[in-house]
């Protein structure tokens, strides 16, 4: 009897596994056809030279050697690293500042949260076009406000010294999602910590540094990981800016004034679709994949360290 029950359980378990596999089969087929196969194909293409009208020709590591010697690759990597490690701290600081302010009790708090979050749901292309207009050196609101303060506003998108800072300023527009996550983390901090600190005579700054920051540190590090990964995929804004500046002509294959906003994904796109170097672009994509993977791995290690320290403090 027990043997029959065991066999029946095995049959039910096998049937459940088969049914689960059949339900997941459409996703598995789609993932294989549209992710795994293109990924492996691009790996093969990275060792070849080809374009849409020419069959792939095996060139070995020539594409990677060329990439490492290409000055525009170095330039685009520097610009991308600037966005990753300058824009990310600025955005996190603003998001945490807004979350701290909106975590207080005041009339109209819900409306204020909605207002600060709404820019995050505006399509990126539309928001970029608005910012291009705001950065206009003659008619833009930013230079008008600076003029009221007695400051002569620069040519934000024409002067190479200011183009990347304009992108950083533009990035502060979309911190609503990060703000909400930081707000949730702040609300999760036990109030008893603050009450004990007040009894000990700690002021607001000390409470923020000694209690708030350690408690939300894992969330901030996680958001930093996401922002840095997004920075290495920074494409839409600069593509729209360059196309708007060039009127959509042939010069849109550049990287802005003195290539100051030539981001790595934009140069990869230009290599593939403007210069028709598909094999070289595939090699650039795999280099980007390796760089982002290594940085993500390292930052995950940092996140685990923060989490373990936080758990140990409790």
């Amino acid at each position: 009897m027990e043997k029959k029950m065991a066999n029946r359980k095995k049959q039910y378990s096998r049937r459940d596994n088969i049914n689960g596999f059949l339900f997941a089969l459409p996703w598995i087929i789609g993932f294989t056809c549209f992710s795994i196969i293109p990924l492996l194909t691009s790996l093969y293409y990275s060792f070849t030279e080809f374009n849409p009208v020419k069959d792939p020709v095996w060139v070995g590591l020539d594409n990677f050697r060329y990439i490492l010697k290409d000055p525009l690759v170095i330039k685009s990597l520097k610009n991308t690293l600037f966005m990753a490690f300058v824009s990310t701290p600025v955005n996190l600081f603003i998001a945490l500042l807004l979350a701290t302010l909106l975590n207080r009790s005041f009339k109209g708090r819900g409306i204020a949260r909605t207002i600060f979050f709404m820019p995050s749901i505006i399509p990126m292309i539309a928001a970029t076009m608005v910012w291009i207009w705001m950065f206009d050196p003659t008619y833009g609101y930013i230079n008008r406000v600076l003029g009221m303060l007695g400051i002569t506003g620069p040519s934000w998108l024409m002067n190479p010294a200011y183009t990347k800072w304009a992108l950083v300023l533009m990035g502060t527009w979309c911190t609503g999602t990060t703000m909400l996550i930081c707000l949730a983390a702040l609300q999760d901090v036990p109030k008893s910590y603050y009450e004990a600190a007040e009894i000990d005579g700690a002021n607001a700054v000390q409470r923020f540094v000694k209690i708030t920051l350690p408690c939300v540190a894992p969330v901030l590090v996680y958001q930093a990981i996401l922002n840095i990964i997004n920075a290495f995929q920074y494409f839409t804004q600069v593509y729209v800016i360059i196309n708007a500046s060039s009127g959509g002509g042939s010069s849109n294959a550049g990287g802005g004034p003195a290539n100051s906003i030539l981001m790595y994904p934009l140069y990869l796109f230009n290599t593939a679709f403007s210069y028709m170097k598909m094999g070289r672009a595939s090699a650039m994509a795999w280099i980007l994949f390796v760089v982002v993977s290594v940085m993500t791995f390292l930052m995950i290690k940092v996140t685990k360290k923060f989490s373990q320290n936080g758990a140990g403090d409790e």
Side-chain angles (χ1 to χ4, degrees), residues 3-20:
K3 189 175 181 180
K4 289 182 178 180
M5 292 294 295
N7 291 334
R8 187 172 299 176
K9 287 182 179 180
K10 288 182 179 180
Q11 292 177 356
Y12 287 151
S13 177
R14 189 181 300 110
R15 185 181 303 171
D16 289 341
N17 291 335
I18 293 174
N19 290 336

Side-chain angles (χ1 to χ4, degrees), residues 167-222:
L167 296 180
V168 172
L169 183 60
M170 188 189 306
T172 61
W173 172 262
C174 300
T175 56
T177 303
T178 306
M179 177 200 69
L180 285 184
I181 295 174
C182 291
L183 180 61
L186 290 174
Q187 293 177 344
D188 198 41
V189 178
K191 294 183 178 179
S192 58
Y193 291 179
Y194 295 108
E195 294 172 355
E198 288 181 2
I199 293 175
D200 291 339
N203 56 35
V205 176
Q206 290 173 330
R207 293 196 299 269
F208 182 80
V209 173
K210 298 295 185 180
I211 298 176
T212 304
L213 279 182
C215 288
V216 302
V219 174
L220 292 177
V221 174
Y222 176 73

Side-chain angles (χ1 to χ4, degrees), residues 26-239:
W27 181 88
I28 294 174
I29 294 174
F31 181 73
T32 302
C33 293
F34 299 108
S35 295
I36 299 299
I37 293 177
L39 190 69
L40 297 177
T41 303
S42 71
L43 179 60
Y44 165 72
Y45 284 155
S46 67
F47 298 101
T48 65
E49 180 182 349
F50 85 105
N51 56 53
V53 296
K54 179 182 177 182
D55 293 332
V57 178
W58 185 267
V59 295
L61 297 175
D62 287 352
N63 288 327
F64 294 93
R65 294 191 188 99
Y66 180 89
I67 290 170
L68 295 177
K69 296 178 181 178
D70 187 355
L72 288 180
V73 170
I74 306 301
K75 179 72 173 180
S76 62
L77 275 175
K78 288 181 179 179
N79 293 338
T80 304
L81 289 172
F82 178 91
M83 292 303 300
F85 294 103
V86 175
S87 182
T88 295
V90 172
N91 290 344
L92 288 179
F93 173 78
I94 293 176
L96 184 60
L97 178 63
L98 291 175
T100 303
L101 295 176
L102 296 177
N103 194 37
R104 300 175 179 272
S105 298
F106 58 90
K107 189 176 181 180
R109 182 175 61 175
I111 297 175
R113 291 176 179 177
T114 303
I115 292 173
F116 283 112
F117 176 73
M118 283 186 65
S120 298
I121 63 176
I122 296 176
M124 186 59 65
I125 294 177
T128 303
M129 294 301 295
V130 172
W131 276 97
I132 291 174
W133 173 68
M134 292 178 64
F135 283 130
D136 187 274
T138 305
Y139 304 104
Y141 279 142
I142 295 178
N143 280 3
R144 285 189 180 184
V145 173
L146 292 177
M148 295 177 183
L149 300 175
I151 302 173
T152 302
S155 297
W156 291 96
L157 300 179
M158 300 302 294
N159 189 335
Y162 295 97
T163 49
K164 286 192 287 291
W165 291 107
L167 296 180
V168 172
L169 183 60
M170 188 189 306
T172 61
W173 172 262
C174 300
T175 56
T177 303
T178 306
M179 177 200 69
L180 285 184
I181 295 174
C182 291
L183 180 61
L186 290 174
Q187 293 177 344
D188 198 41
V189 178
K191 294 183 178 179
S192 58
Y193 291 179
Y194 295 108
E195 294 172 355
E198 288 181 2
I199 293 175
D200 291 339
N203 56 35
V205 176
Q206 290 173 330
R207 293 196 299 269
F208 182 80
V209 173
K210 298 295 185 180
I211 298 176
T212 304
L213 279 182
C215 288
V216 302
V219 174
L220 292 177
V221 174
Y222 176 73
Q223 287 300 306
I225 293 174
L226 295 182
N227 286 355
I228 289 176
I229 292 175
N230 290 334
F232 276 93
Q233 301 173 13
Y234 199 91
F235 173 81
T236 304
Q237 296 91 320
V238 290
Y239 184 77

